[in-house]
Each structure stands twice: as structure tokens, then as C-alpha cells.
Amino acid sequence: MMKINYKGIVFLITLLFSVSINAQEKIWSLQECVNHALENNISILQIKNTLLTNEQDIIAAKGQFLPSANAGIGTGVSIGSGFDPVSNQRINNEVTYSANYSIGASYTVFNGFRRTNLYKQSQLNLETNELELARIQDDISLNVVNSYLNILFNKENLETAKAQYEFSKKQLNQVKELVNAGVQPKANIYDAEATLSRDLQSVTVAENNYELSILTLSQILQVPFKGFQVEVIDVENPSAELLYADVEPILDYALANRNEIKVAEKNIENSKLGTEISKSGYYPSVTASYGLSSVWSERDSEFFKQSFFSELDINKGHSFRLNVNVPIFSQYQNKTAVAKSQIQEENALLNLEQAKLNLEANIQRAFTDAKSALRAYEAAKVSLESQQLAFGNAEERYNIGVMNAFDLEQSRLRLVNAESSLINAKYDFVFKTKVLDFYLGKPITQ
């Protein structure tokens, strides 16, 4: 009977359990999130496959500069009247056996520079798609950073909501003590309990928002939501120094270096090559070829009159050809092909201008948004300081019986709103400055 190694089984289960726990407890940093997205995003993987296809297109285009070669063999039987394939004499009511072979090669000497331009176009397609890959990677990186900051924003909101809930619990206990001491009416307990319930609801909403933001990033990264956690970055209070003084340097850099502009410029080059390829239809083409062939044939009446290979050697022949094809009338095919290619050139130029306009509009909007976010952040700081002083004063007045519970609650709500506004303004300003860094080519994960 087989003996079961229980110690080994227990060790294996323990190892698998520890690996599972470690996988769940992994804390993702911002850089890890970005790297993972760039390595696993489906759009990126698809365009990488496109690059592999472009590389094969380049190999195929290079092959057009080489001669083509082919070889063939054949055999047959003819029954009845016909012609001998060797002597070309008529034969009557006999069985004739035949075999042949041929070897040939041909080379296009000139075809209106079509091969050269097709090779250049295949290289250009690879360069264009490499730039497109870089553009997609930039967009995905910015999307990951935005989602990551959104998690931090919701986490800070959640901590604020929990702090308010804890404060409300303490406030309720204090009210109960004052009511028991006869200082305040019992109705204040009901007001404090209502406040506590609202704060608990705010905690629930904040928790849901936090969970949803984590879910969003996990879906972007295509990783399991369960156990997914990110590293908490301490986003310190930003200063006005993060905002650029002038938008012009950002515009100049972006117009000279952004990938969407480079892609548009490559498309112009590609369309020009397309026009040259279309024009090749007007040029004559020159083709040179060489062939070697032979044939063997025997009839029943003279079978084996000489050996098979001897006859093939006797009948072999060489052929050399040089063909020149001059286009005279192509049913307007060449004319329309060139016209359509020139239209594509015009569209490519327009697309470049549109790309520049879009980029400039996006940067101007991002710069304006960043300035507005800075003003909103500075105003939120001033408002929070004022509300903190106001609430402190309201607490003192409430404790001595000068202010009622309703007015105290209104003051506290204004403080809570001020804290939430500051958190929102802070992360909004930080992300808007990251967008400007993005257009200026600076790392956005730092």
C-alpha cells in the first residue's frame, strides 16, 4: 500500500498559501502601475504586432531588388495521332512518351523607380507606427497617473469623512453629558445623533468612491480587483511654483517634439511617396530573363533508341530575353491613381495643420485649467482657515450655551465642505501641472 507523505503535502499547501497571501498583499507603486500598463495594454500589444508586420514588409520590399528563379519538370503520354515534341513530325496511332525540364530566372531592370519607392515607404510605415506606439504609451501613462491620483484623492476624502464621524461620536457623548447635567435640552441629543448618521452616510459614500477608483485602475492594468492596493504617496501641499509662468515654451517644445505631430509629418512623406509610386505607371518597364530547357520523347516503335539523359542533353537549349514595355494608354488608370495620390498629399498637409491646432488648443486649455486650479486651491486654503476659526468660535459659544445645536451643525458642515474643497482643489491642481509636464516631455511619474 502506498504511503502518503503528509509532511510534503502540508509543506506544499503552506507554500501555495504564502504565495497567494504575498500576491494579494502586493502594494503597487505609481511607476509599477505605469510599467505594467505599458507592457500589457491590448492596444500597445496590437501596435507592436503591427511593427512586426512592418518589418516583414521591409524584408519583402528588399526582395523585390533580387531576381526571381523557378524550375519545373513534366512528363506525359500521348496516344493516337499527333506530333512528336522533339522532331515535330506527325505520328499516327502510336503511344508517345515525353518528359521535359526547365530552369528560368528573370529580373526587372527598371520599373519607374517603383521598387525603390516601395522600399522607402515600407521603412516609413515602420517609423510612423513606432511614433504611434510612443504616442499611445504617453496617453496610457497619463491615464494611469490620473487614475492613481484619483485613488489618493478618494482615500484622503475617506480619511476626512472618518475623522468627521469620529468627531461627531465625541460630540454626541459630550452632548449626552451636558444633557444629563441639565445644561442642555434633551432635543440636542437627537440633533447630534442625526449628525452622526449623516456622517456615517458620508463615510459610506467615500468608501464606495475609493473602491470604485481602485476598481478603475485595476481594470486599466488588467489585474484582479481583489487584493489590489496602491502605494500611498504623500501629496504635500503644492505651491504656485509648480505652475509655469508662460505657455509659449510648452507650445514650442510640443510642436517640435510631440509624437502626434511627428506622425502627421511622416504621413505627409508617405503620401508623397505614394504619388511617386503612382507616377511610375507612366514609365516604361524593362525586364531581362534567362531560360534553360530540354525535352525527351520516345515512341513504342523506337523505344530506347538512345538513352534518356543523352537525349535530354542533345535537346537542351538556352534562351535570353529582354522585354521593354512602354505604356501608351492605360484607360485613365495611371492618371486617376496620380490624381488620388495628390489628393492624399493635400489631406496629409491638412491633417498636420489640424494636429497642430488640436495640440495648441489642448495645451492652452491645460495651462488655463492649471491657473484656475491654482486660484481655486489658494482660495480653498483661505476658506478652510476661515472655517476652522469660525468653527472653533462656534464650539466655544455652543459650550457656554450662547449658540444652539443647529447653528453649530451649520458651522461644522461649512468646515467639512471647506476641507473637501481643499482636497479636491489640491489634487486637481497637481494633476493639471502633471499634464503640462506631459506636454513638456518631463516624467509624470515623479
Side-chain angles (χ1 to χ4, degrees), residues 8-244:
I9 295 175
V10 172
F11 174 76
L12 180 60
I13 293 175
T14 304
L15 179 62
L16 292 174
F17 180 76
S18 63
V19 170
S20 176
I21 293 296
N22 290 333
Q24 290 181 357
E25 292 180 351
K26 174 178 174 57
I27 306 297
W28 291 73
S29 68
L30 176 58
Q31 189 63 57
E32 286 177 331
C33 289
V34 171
N35 292 342
H36 184 86
L38 296 181
E39 291 172 2
N40 297 277
N41 182 268
I42 292 177
S43 297
I44 289 178
L45 295 177
Q46 287 175 331
I47 197 167
K48 284 183 177 179
N49 285 335
T50 301
L51 293 178
L52 296 177
T53 302
N54 293 148
E55 291 173 357
Q56 296 302 313
D57 290 339
I58 291 176
I59 296 174
K62 286 181 179 179
Q64 295 296 316
F65 291 94
L66 302 175
S68 63
N70 55 77
I73 58 174
T75 184
V77 177
S78 176
I79 302 174
S81 301
F83 288 90
D84 187 296
V86 176
S87 63
N88 204 27
Q89 296 178 350
R90 184 173 182 82
I91 54 178
N92 296 311
N93 300 321
E94 285 195 68
V95 178
T96 304
Y97 304 91
S98 64
N100 63 83
Y101 74 85
S102 63
I103 300 173
S106 63
Y107 179 71
T108 301
V109 180
F110 179 75
N111 64 347
F113 307 106
R114 183 181 180 84
R115 288 176 304 182
T116 302
N117 289 323
L118 284 173
Y119 175 64
K120 290 180 180 179
Q121 194 174 57
S122 64
Q123 289 181 311
L124 196 58
N125 287 335
L126 176 62
E127 295 171 4
T128 302
N129 284 320
E130 286 174 342
L131 292 171
E132 184 65 18
L133 172 62
R135 185 193 66 79
I136 293 176
Q137 288 174 331
D138 286 345
D139 291 343
I140 291 174
S141 298
L142 187 63
N143 192 20
V144 170
V145 171
N146 184 26
S147 298
Y148 196 98
L149 288 176
N150 195 37
I151 291 177
L152 301 182
F153 162 70
N154 285 307
K155 183 175 181 60
E156 195 165 333
N157 261 342
L158 176 58
E159 292 173 352
T160 300
K162 288 180 177 179
Q164 289 297 326
Y165 177 72
E166 293 299 324
F167 174 81
S168 295
K169 286 204 302 187
K170 293 179 181 178
Q171 192 74 15
L172 176 60
N173 293 332
Q174 184 180 0
V175 170
K176 288 180 178 179
E177 292 176 359
L178 293 174
V179 170
N180 292 334
V183 177
Q184 292 187 3
K186 190 174 182 179
N188 286 356
I189 295 179
Y190 303 138
D191 293 334
E193 288 176 344
T195 298
L196 184 64
S197 298
R198 285 195 298 270
D199 287 342
L200 179 59
Q201 183 181 10
S202 297
V203 170
T204 303
V205 172
E207 286 176 342
N208 289 336
N209 291 336
Y210 177 61
E211 292 293 322
L212 286 174
S213 61
I214 292 179
L215 175 62
T216 299
L217 182 56
S218 69
Q219 290 175 337
I220 293 175
L221 300 183
Q222 301 168 17
V223 298
F225 168 68
K226 185 177 180 180
F228 179 70
Q229 298 180 41
V230 300
E231 179 184 359
V232 177
I233 303 173
D234 185 16
V235 180
E236 300 178 354
N237 294 332
S239 66
E241 295 178 357
L242 291 176
L243 183 63
Y244 295 94

Side-chain angles (χ1 to χ4, degrees), residues 33 38 45 57 59 99 135 144 147 156 162 186 225 267 278 284 294 306 333 338 353 358 383 385 400 421 432 435:
C33 289
L38 296 181
L45 295 177
D57 290 339
I59 296 174
R135 185 193 66 79
V144 170
S147 298
E156 195 165 333
K162 288 180 177 179
K186 190 174 182 179
F225 168 68
N267 287 336
S278 299
S294 184
Q306 58 184 354
Q333 299 302 307
V338 172
E353 292 302 315
N358 292 341
S383 176
E385 292 172 359
I400 63 176
S421 296
K432 295 280 172 47
V435 172

